[in-house]
Amino acid sequence: MTLVLANLFNAYIAYGALLIPPQGIWDENTLTGIELASWLLIVSGALTALLTVSPVSRRALSRWWLALPLLFLAAGVARLQYIVYAYPMGPGD
């Protein structure tokens, strides 16, 4: 039950990180929010993966349970890299 709740929490964070678009390069508040959500997704994905490793190694759960936290982790890293690449900070920002 804990892993299900953790994955639902990750899905909620992923919504904020992946589906909310900035209005433009000037929209610093939304870009900061996306970066924060991406970092939260990375950290919570890693923590959920660590929580999942023990039951998977004991074969209480199948290996597919590791796929979702690792997918969230990769999505957070990809979104963070995209934001840094697509919306670079200019001089004086």
Side-chain angles (χ1 to χ4, degrees):
M1 184 66 174
T2 304
L3 292 177
V4 172
L5 290 175
N7 283 319
L8 286 174
F9 179 69
N10 287 341
Y12 179 73
I13 296 172
Y15 172 78
L18 301 173
L19 297 179
I20 298 176
Q23 294 179 1
I25 196 164
W26 49 268
D27 192 7
E28 189 62 35
N29 290 333
T30 304
L31 289 171
T32 303
I34 292 170
E35 289 176 1
L36 177 65
S38 297
W39 277 111
L40 283 174
L41 189 58
I42 292 168
V43 170
S44 65
L47 290 175
T48 305
L50 288 174
L51 283 174
T52 309
V53 166
S54 178
V56 168
S57 67
R58 289 181 292 144
R59 300 197 191 282
L61 295 174
S62 70
R63 284 185 271 159
W64 289 104
W65 277 87
L66 276 174
L68 199 53
L70 295 177
L71 178 70
F72 286 131
L73 178 65
V77 170
R79 180 62 168 175
L80 188 61
Q81 290 300 318
Y82 173 75
I83 291 297
V84 169
Y85 177 75
Y87 300 98
M89 294 189 64
D93 288 338

